[in-house]
Amino acid sequence: MSHELTFILNRKCMNCGSLIADQVHAKRKFCPRVVLSNGMISNCKDKYNSKIAKPINEPFKYMAKWQKYYYHRIKMMVEKEGTNVTLEIINRYGINLHRPFEFKKSKESKFTFLYHRFAIENIDSKTYKITEHALF
């Protein structure tokens, strides 16, 4: 009795097009995952689903890119200017107060702009206080 694999049904991986043996369960639509010699995992199913998700996730990557940029700019500003700054200093560091993750408005109509790890709180018409938080 021979245990050779056959490919008469011509089933192919939905990602890479490699043939899937007839003896493999009929529900299999992708190549089996493979652990490479360097410990990395090659997985056609994940690659296929990533291609589908990429257009959906692309706008969010753009938003994350800006938040990462603001995080580094705010961190640099605090290191060089301290935690009490003016709007002029905020603008000089390229921080857009219209692009936080979230903002809050107090009863006194003062705004707090929440970025990753930092909050920029409007103290008065010219002064802002920067504090660290753990929300994002």
Side-chain angles (χ1 to χ4, degrees), residues 2-27:
S2 176
H3 292 287
E4 288 189 34
L5 298 177
T6 60
F7 301 93
I8 298 167
L9 298 175
N10 201 31
R11 294 187 304 139
K12 294 182 179 179
C13 172
M14 291 176 64
N15 181 59
C16 71
S18 295
L19 288 171
I20 299 174
D22 300 334
Q23 292 76 12
V24 175
H25 197 283
K27 286 187 176 183

Side-chain angles (χ1 to χ4, degrees), residues 15-122:
N15 181 59
C16 71
S18 295
L19 288 171
I20 299 174
D22 300 334
Q23 292 76 12
V24 175
H25 197 283
K27 286 187 176 183
R28 178 165 293 279
K29 296 185 184 329
F30 300 97
C31 297
R33 78 179 210 156
V34 176
V35 179
L36 304 173
S37 61
N38 64 0
M40 299 283 291
I41 295 174
S42 178
N43 187 340
C44 278
K45 183 177 180 180
D46 288 347
K47 289 176 188 175
Y48 178 83
N49 289 324
S50 291
K51 287 180 206 172
I52 293 170
K54 185 174 183 175
I56 296 166
N57 292 333
E58 205 59 40
F60 301 103
K61 287 183 181 180
Y62 178 76
M63 290 180 230
K65 178 184 112 180
W66 278 107
Q67 290 303 319
K68 184 177 178 181
Y69 170 80
Y70 292 136
Y71 165 74
H72 289 292
R73 299 301 292 184
I74 295 169
K75 185 177 176 189
M76 182 187 317
M77 181 174 63
V78 168
E79 288 170 358
K80 295 193 185 219
E81 309 288 342
T83 57
N84 291 319
V85 294
T86 63
L87 184 57
E88 179 186 336
I89 293 171
I90 291 170
N91 289 334
R92 193 173 342 129
Y93 280 85
I95 299 156
N96 187 341
L97 294 179
H98 297 283
R99 280 195 164 173
F101 275 126
E102 182 181 346
F103 68 90
K104 297 177 181 177
K105 186 175 181 182
S106 70
K107 292 177 186 172
E108 301 83 30
S109 294
K110 302 210 179 184
F111 286 95
T112 300
F113 305 92
L114 298 168
Y115 295 87
H116 175 66
R117 285 191 52 208
F118 292 105
I120 300 176
E121 183 182 357
N122 183 220

